[in-house]
Amino acid sequence: MSARLPEPDRPWVMRTYAGHSTARESNELYRKNLEKGQTGLSVAFDLPTQTGYDPDHELSRGEVGKVGVSIAHKGDMHTLLDGIPLDEMNTSMTINATAAWLLALYMSVAEENGIDRAVLQGTTQNDIIKEFLSRGTYAFPPGPSMRLIADMIAFTVDEVPKWNPINICSYHLQEAGATPVQEIAYSLSTARAVLDQVRERVDDETFPRVFGRMSFFVNAGIRFLEEHAKLRAMSELWRELGRERYGVEDERFLRFRYGVQVNSLGLTEQQPENNVIRIVLEALAVTLGRDARARAIQLPAWNEALGLPRPWDQQWSLRIQQILALETDLLEYPDVFEGSKVMDGLVAELVEGARAEMAIVEEHGGAVEAVDYMKTQLVESHRERVAKIERGELKVIGQNVFQSSEESPLRTGEDGGILTVDPNVERGQIEAVDAWRAGRDEAAVRSALDELRAAAEDEGVNVMPATLAAARAGATTGEWAGTLREVFGEYRAPTGVEGASAVPGDEGLTELRERVERVSEALGRRVKILVGKPGLDGHSNGAEQIAVRARDAGMDVVYEGIRLTPARIAATAVQEGVHVVGLSILSGSHRELIPEVLRELREAGADVPVVVGGIIPPADERWLLEAGVARVYTPKDFEITRIMGDIVELVAEHHSAAAAA
């Protein structure tokens, strides 16, 4: 008897996470990707769209169209989806704080194209807790944010029944340093918090269907056996949660449904061609075992540690998926891990650890109340990972071992191997949103926003109908979010830095502490550093590690978290009397924002050196140094203790020169 399946499994949905600049350019990219065999869309939005700002807002400076496409109103969404059959397409939208708004725009475009929203298929990520913990694209405080999510889920279960209204996202938890146990525990705790909120909004008969529409978006790292075990553990715990906490019995609704993007944290700037091998192995983690196979996959490109991938780079990642699905035999067999003692042991170990960690989260009051606790644990885990790489205990080929290398031919050429967004995109989008506002029915928009405000003020009212009405009327992303900010207020998430425990010094850290003491004595007070994140970039993991290491080295540290204007950074530098300013930007907005910070510092009278870290191409690195930045650090600079020593010496040199002058 053959061990093969009677018929091979159908391939998973193949996506490429894509979008940049304008809706028109992204639409062209989507059409080309679909022609190349992509079977679903995965829309990347720019940071203003993700955080609820129009292109002309102060905080949008330098960020428009950079890490995704700019969508300011339903006209942009029409252009983005032009010619794409929404009644057939499965569309994933990586959107959280403004998920309700983007889904409303998507629905309004479908309606205006004669497509019933009941047939729409796709996913909105819509996981705000992981934004507080790891990615930073939140807009409102935790309570109102959870209400928006619950309202959206309660609305879609009947109105858009094929849509996945939330994608509990453990992906960014791993990017922030989560261990497999933490990734399982924190994502399932988040799911539990969401379900508890939704249960109050639907009847008992409907709730099992709500449970069945919950989906997850997970990460798969390079330890691919452990990563596969993690997925089996999540599936086991998900079924357990459904049966024991929520009384769900229907097997259709208990299935653990997940999509995946494999790990970007482990991609290296050094020898970037190695990233292709990493991506393939990580893809195996989520495809090899039939009983825990991903329903949809998107793979990063080889050059994402360098900058934005080009269409050719994204094509390469799509081809990896197609070769796995169509050329290998992995879809032809039952689960290859069934009965494996090794796999069963790994799963049991992860289940036990995750249960224990979930219990701690519950002791803190559940996922919403435990954000501070979870954030601190992630900072701690990430610090340990970085320290292991620095010590050589965790080997990364090309980074801390086997560093001798030929020059990569992939990085040659005028573009340096990456896509650069035209700086004129921002100006064009500002002009376009001005024209949109001038051409719409202003009275209808104001009326719709008033209705939205009233719905937000009444917790007993679902905000989705008013959101959909505002989308139809022609309101903008910034107007929708601005109206809700008026009702819900602003919020700054915890940084996790203050709660992180001090670490005992190894030899390198001990030497660094001694240098800090010597320089502090010469200065007459302790060396003080301001770590700042200008603009809307919420990827704060690197900034947090710099802040923690500076504190461990004995410096005074000022770190206010994300989303700071250049003016605020300069004002804080003066008020706090810092000796050096460290800026972190990973969104590609360094050319616009860093000169702004330098100018604001000069005008404020702050004579302090500025260092910059982020995903910065070599040409931009030279440009920043010429513009007045003292040091530039990129992902290749992984030795944080060495970086901190460099900064201490920079402070000593600068202030000695300043004193002599």
Side-chain angles (χ1 to χ4, degrees):
M1 181 181 291
S2 172
R4 285 188 173 89
L5 295 167
E7 292 289 335
D9 282 344
R10 286 193 306 170
W12 52 89
V13 176
M14 298 182 191
R15 295 186 174 119
T16 302
Y17 183 53
H20 66 84
S21 304
T22 67
R24 189 167 306 284
E25 288 173 278
S26 295
N27 174 261
E28 291 173 5
L29 177 62
Y30 296 162
R31 290 187 186 215
K32 288 178 181 176
N33 285 347
L34 292 170
E35 288 173 7
K36 293 172 184 174
Q38 184 175 301
T39 53
L41 288 184
S42 181
V43 182
F45 297 101
D46 71 357
L47 290 174
T49 305
Q50 292 184 50
T51 51
Y53 296 104
D54 287 334
D56 55 355
H57 192 278
E58 177 188 16
L59 280 171
S60 299
R61 170 85 173 120
E63 308 284 12
V64 178
K66 282 283 170 61
V67 301
V69 60
S70 173
I71 300 294
H73 45 73
K74 73 172 179 180
D76 284 341
M77 188 66 88
H78 267 293
T79 302
L80 182 72
L81 302 172
D82 182 43
I84 293 173
L86 299 188
D87 52 346
E88 301 173 13
M89 186 54 55
N90 192 306
T91 304
S92 171
M93 294 192 281
T94 301
I95 197 75
N96 296 282
T98 56
W101 175 247
L102 270 298
L103 178 58
L105 293 178
Y106 193 88
M107 285 191 291
S108 66
V109 167
E111 289 170 359
E112 291 175 13
N113 282 305
I115 297 169
D116 187 341
R117 63 190 182 209
V119 305
L120 298 178
Q121 298 182 71
T123 304
T124 30
Q125 195 167 97
N126 207 16
D127 177 359
I128 205 63
I129 290 179
K130 65 93 180 176
E131 294 299 326
F132 299 143
L133 293 176
S134 58
R135 192 163 168 266
T137 60
Y138 52 80
F140 316 112
S145 296
M146 293 295 285
R147 177 197 164 185
L148 279 173
I149 292 169
D151 280 356
M152 186 170 160
I153 293 171
F155 176 85
T156 56
V157 68
D158 289 319
E159 294 293 326
V160 202
K162 294 184 177 182
W163 194 267
N164 301 314
I166 189 167
N167 212 240
I168 303 294
C169 182
S170 72
Y171 175 85
H172 294 101
L173 301 182
Q174 187 177 134
E175 297 292 296
T179 64
V181 162
Q182 290 170 333
E183 188 177 344
I184 297 168
Y186 298 165
S187 58
L188 290 180
S189 293
T190 295
R192 188 161 61 186
V194 169
L195 286 164
D196 287 349
Q197 291 252 337
V198 181
R199 189 156 54 170
E200 300 172 2
R201 288 165 168 76
V202 299
D203 58 38
D204 291 344
E205 186 178 338
T206 302
F207 187 77
R209 288 192 289 120
V210 169
F211 192 91
R213 290 248 56 93
M214 298 283 283
S215 62
F216 289 76
F217 187 70
V218 304
N219 202 327
I222 194 67
R223 294 170 59 83
F224 78 93
L225 291 178
E226 185 176 60
E227 292 295 313
H228 184 78
K230 177 187 73 182
L231 296 164
R232 298 176 92 93
M234 292 180 85
S235 180
E236 181 178 326
L237 288 167
W238 182 241
R239 288 174 178 272
E240 180 182 294
L241 186 69
R243 287 197 178 101
E244 296 183 7
R245 187 178 180 93
Y246 300 111
V248 178
E249 295 295 337
D250 192 321
E251 284 295 320
R252 294 173 301 164
F253 300 145
L254 287 168
R255 190 158 46 99
F256 180 68
R257 302 161 63 251
Y258 80 96
V260 66
Q261 174 164 316
V262 306
N263 192 278
S264 293
L265 179 64
L267 302 183
T268 60
E269 179 181 359
Q270 304 94 321
Q271 301 176 25
E273 60 276 5
N274 296 343
N275 294 332
V276 178
I277 294 94
R278 295 182 177 111
I279 290 166
V280 172
L281 290 172
E282 290 163 354
L284 280 175
V286 296
T287 56
L288 197 54
R290 185 177 188 242
D291 291 350
R293 184 171 291 141
R295 291 169 58 85
I297 298 174
Q298 57 193 44
L299 302 180
W302 68 275
N303 54 352
E304 289 193 26
L306 311 175
L308 282 175
R310 302 158 301 185
W312 182 87
D313 308 314
Q314 293 182 330
Q315 174 184 298
W316 197 358
S317 290
L318 176 61
R319 295 294 183 247
I320 289 171
Q321 292 201 60
Q322 291 167 331
I323 290 168
L324 276 176
L326 303 176
E327 291 192 22
T328 77
D329 57 355
L330 64 82
L331 293 177
E332 297 177 14
Y333 292 91
D335 194 273
V336 297
F337 290 111
E338 185 178 357
S340 165
K341 291 182 179 179
V342 171
M343 186 56 64
D344 290 348
L346 271 172
V347 171
E349 183 181 315
L350 291 173
V351 165
E352 181 182 1
R355 280 202 190 107
E357 189 63 19
M358 288 173 73
I360 295 173
V361 173
E362 196 70 5
E363 287 171 9
H364 280 78
V368 177
E369 297 298 323
V371 164
D372 278 14
Y373 164 76
M374 293 188 289
K375 179 64 176 179
T376 299
Q377 297 306 114
L378 292 177
V379 171
E380 294 271 15
S381 296
H382 196 44
R383 177 169 64 181
E384 180 57 25
R385 178 186 180 276
V386 170
K388 283 182 177 179
I389 294 174
E390 288 184 282
R391 295 192 298 264
E393 295 174 18
L394 182 61
K395 294 184 177 7
V396 182
I397 307 304
Q399 188 173 77
N400 63 359
V401 292
F402 307 118
Q403 294 162 298
S404 176
S405 175
E406 301 296 330
E407 184 177 352
S408 173
L410 294 174
R411 299 187 65 175
T412 59
E414 291 184 9
D415 60 8
I418 57 172
L419 174 72
T420 301
V421 173
D422 186 343
N424 292 319
V425 164
E426 184 166 314
R427 188 183 311 114
Q429 288 301 100
I430 290 172
E431 292 171 356
V433 79
D434 285 342
W436 174 265
R437 293 190 191 112
R440 67 189 181 180
D441 183 339
E442 194 64 24
V445 171
R446 291 302 125 201
S447 176
L449 292 176
D450 287 342
E451 290 180 19
L452 176 66
R453 184 180 294 102
E457 288 170 345
D458 185 346
E459 292 200 10
V461 174
N462 191 308
V463 298
M464 277 304 299
T467 293
L468 187 55
R472 289 172 179 145
T476 67
T477 299
E479 289 167 340
W480 176 83
T483 300
L484 295 186
R485 282 188 173 98
E486 291 172 11
V487 179
F488 297 152
E490 301 275 359
Y491 179 70
R492 295 194 71 79
T495 68
V497 170
E498 291 184 4
S501 60
V503 296
D506 55 22
E507 184 178 341
L509 188 55
T510 299
E511 290 178 4
L512 177 59
R513 285 171 177 162
E514 291 171 355
R515 291 162 73 185
V516 169
E517 289 299 324
R518 289 196 301 271
V519 174
S520 296
E521 187 175 339
L523 291 170
R525 61 187 177 93
R526 190 152 297 282
V527 175
K528 196 170 194 178
I529 181 173
L530 184 155
V531 179
K533 286 196 65 63
L536 293 175
D537 173 33
H539 289 86
S540 58
N541 306 326
E544 289 154 5
Q545 293 306 310
I546 290 291
V548 168
R549 191 66 58 89
R551 188 203 63 187
D552 288 345
M555 298 185 203
D556 284 342
V557 179
V558 180
Y559 177 56
E560 297 180 310
I562 64 171
R563 214 172 295 176
L564 305 175
T565 64
R568 177 166 175 170
I569 290 171
T572 302
V574 172
Q575 291 164 8
E576 294 285 347
V578 301
H579 298 105
V580 60
V581 172
L583 304 175
S584 169
I585 298 182
L586 285 84
S587 64
S589 59
H590 46 269
R591 271 187 169 261
E592 293 83 5
L593 293 178
I594 299 301
E596 287 278 323
V597 175
L598 294 173
R599 182 181 60 78
E600 291 282 356
L601 285 168
R602 283 195 303 270
E603 292 181 0
D607 180 23
V608 293
V610 173
V611 300
V612 175
I615 299 177
I616 299 169
D620 287 358
E621 185 176 344
R622 293 189 293 272
W623 183 85
L624 288 171
L625 292 170
E626 291 169 1
V629 170
R631 300 283 189 279
V632 176
Y633 302 100
T634 67
K636 70 179 183 301
D637 302 300
F638 64 93
E639 297 169 305
I640 298 182
T641 296
R642 182 190 63 78
I643 292 172
M644 298 316 303
D646 191 18
I647 290 173
V648 172
E649 291 307 311
L650 176 65
V651 168
E653 292 169 10
H654 180 83
H655 288 280
S656 294

